[in-house]
Amino acid sequence: MSQPSQPSQPPQPVPVTEANVAQFLQGVDAFVCDCDGVLWTPQGPIENAMAALRALRACGKKVYFVSNNSTLSILDKLKAEGFPVEEDEIAVPATVIARHLQQAGFTKKAFVFGVEFFKNVLRRSGIHVVPEERTAALVDENISRCVEQIDLDPEVGAVVLDVDVNIRYIDLCSAASILKSRPQCLFLVGATDTLFPLPSEKIAMAPGPFLKLLEDITGRRAEVFGKPSPAMVTDFLQATHRFDLSRTVFVGDALKQDMGMANACGMQKLLVFTGVTRPRDLDSCPAELLPDFVMDSIAAFARLLEAHPGGPQGPQGPQRKD
């Protein structure tokens, strides 16, 4: 009697080492790098990360950047770390949402939950952002008075959600009312993370819980522009620079957001362990989110490429182990 077949094991990630880095680079034209957890952490820059990026460029590889973080200028931060980069080589939700609205010929007001940096990106693209001013005034703790302040501005044609550390109850009610009553109103979201990764027991909520709140109340589903959606790569970076996604490596530190984005774009997946993921997490990782390659840190490229200056060119790099 034949033995029952055993379920096949998913391919296991390949560590990038001195022994295979040359072959690895043969199948790569470009790198798309996440920033938080890959290039820096809340404690500061990751040592030799910038040296690694310079080494990749020196051997002829294009280097681009994506981040769900629209609260600061990634351009200024990279330049401050000594890495020259152009604005169109960086994609964050704010810039991609602004381009999307421009290309759609959007002329109405956008009701925006976001920090001032995020809002200013939209404003510079000609988007009329509301609420126009922050207010620290307390609301009268009377439900009837609260209802009176819910704003159903007829000129609002989009609700945009991202990180907003000054989010207000009345604004959430206004946005929900607009989305519920106007099916034609756009509903766009940048980052969908649930929490910000913190090196402590403290919890800091990201936009995810507020997104779920608005979706549950209104029955609407937002169009996502942050990771793991492919939009920052396919609609911005690849649309601008026309690189081959199959010969591009996405470097990230998160399984769902980063490896998920790489899957959605058809890119090769390289996971580093300087951010939110640890090697033990791969034991329980869904097969589709397993990376193709792993490294302790992107900084290792600075050392590995010293032995392989110039960067080999040629056919496909090493395959994952079955």
Side-chain angles (χ1 to χ4, degrees):
M1 179 180 294
S2 62
Q3 296 294 321
S5 60
Q6 297 296 318
S8 59
Q9 295 298 313
Q12 295 303 300
V14 174
V16 179
T17 66
E18 187 172 346
N20 66 12
V21 66
Q23 187 185 7
F24 166 76
L25 290 173
Q26 288 175 357
V28 180
D29 297 330
F31 287 81
V32 176
C33 294
D34 181 32
C35 298
D36 294 301
V38 175
L39 305 179
W40 48 71
T41 70
Q43 288 71 47
I46 291 173
E47 186 176 2
N48 288 327
M50 295 300 136
L53 296 180
R54 287 190 288 270
L56 290 170
R57 268 192 179 170
C59 67
K61 309 304 177 185
K62 301 293 185 182
V63 181
Y64 306 102
F65 304 91
V66 299
S67 176
N68 271 2
N69 189 347
S70 291
T71 68
L72 51 79
S73 172
I74 302 295
L75 177 70
D76 291 346
K77 194 168 179 67
L78 284 167
K79 288 185 174 180
E81 295 295 333
F83 189 78
V85 63
E86 299 298 325
E87 191 169 10
D88 67 4
E89 295 173 331
I90 302 167
V92 295
T95 56
V96 181
I97 289 173
R99 174 183 278 196
H100 175 79
L101 291 173
Q102 284 181 315
Q103 292 177 340
F106 183 81
T107 58
K108 293 189 174 184
K109 297 178 183 178
F111 196 109
V112 180
F113 296 93
V115 300
E116 285 305 301
F117 181 86
F118 184 101
K119 291 179 177 180
N120 286 336
V121 172
L122 299 184
R123 290 176 179 128
R124 287 195 297 270
S125 298
I127 308 300
H128 187 166
V129 172
V130 293
E132 295 184 6
E133 295 182 358
R134 289 286 187 191
T135 176
L138 294 178
V139 176
D140 190 339
E141 294 176 348
N142 176 295
I143 191 62
S144 297
R145 298 287 178 84
C146 288
V147 171
E148 290 173 2
Q149 295 189 50
I150 294 174
D151 187 0
L152 289 173
D153 186 342
E155 294 301 313
V156 170
V159 171
V160 181
L161 176 66
D162 197 72
V163 177
D164 190 342
V165 297
N166 291 298
I167 203 160
R168 298 174 67 240
Y169 172 79
I170 293 299
D171 289 341
L172 285 168
C173 291
S174 298
S177 300
I178 291 169
L179 288 170
K180 183 78 171 179
S181 63
R182 298 177 201 165
Q184 75 278 13
C185 180
L186 301 176
F187 186 14
L188 315 178
V189 63
T192 60
D193 311 64
T194 300
L195 299 172
F196 295 109
L198 299 177
S200 69
E201 295 180 351
K202 295 181 179 179
I203 290 176
M205 287 187 290
F210 302 104
L211 172 62
K212 186 177 188 305
L213 176 70
L214 287 173
E215 288 187 332
D216 287 351
I217 289 173
T218 64
R220 299 282 302 272
R221 289 295 174 264
E223 184 175 358
V224 179
F225 289 83
K227 298 179 297 180
S229 163
M232 287 193 286
V233 172
T234 57
D235 297 358
F236 190 85
L237 291 177
Q238 202 273 338
T240 301
H241 298 281
R242 300 295 178 183
F243 48 87
D244 183 347
L245 290 170
S246 69
R247 290 182 58 84
T248 300
V249 171
F250 188 93
V251 187
D253 69 301
L255 293 170
K256 180 180 178 181
Q257 302 283 38
D258 295 337
M259 301 302 101
M261 178 187 231
N263 278 344
C265 297
M267 294 184 287
Q268 300 174 56
K269 296 171 287 185
L270 171 58
L271 181 73
V272 295
F273 298 119
T274 45
V276 298
T277 304
R278 296 293 174 263
R280 63 178 177 274
D281 296 328
L282 299 181
D283 296 336
S284 57
C285 175
E288 68 273 13
L289 295 180
L290 279 172
D292 301 305
F293 307 100
V294 291
M295 302 177 79
D296 286 340
S297 168
I298 194 174
F301 278 122
R303 173 180 55 81
L304 294 175
L305 294 182
E306 285 181 354
H308 300 276
Q313 304 295 323
Q316 183 67 34
Q319 301 300 302
R320 292 202 298 180
K321 298 174 183 176
D322 291 321

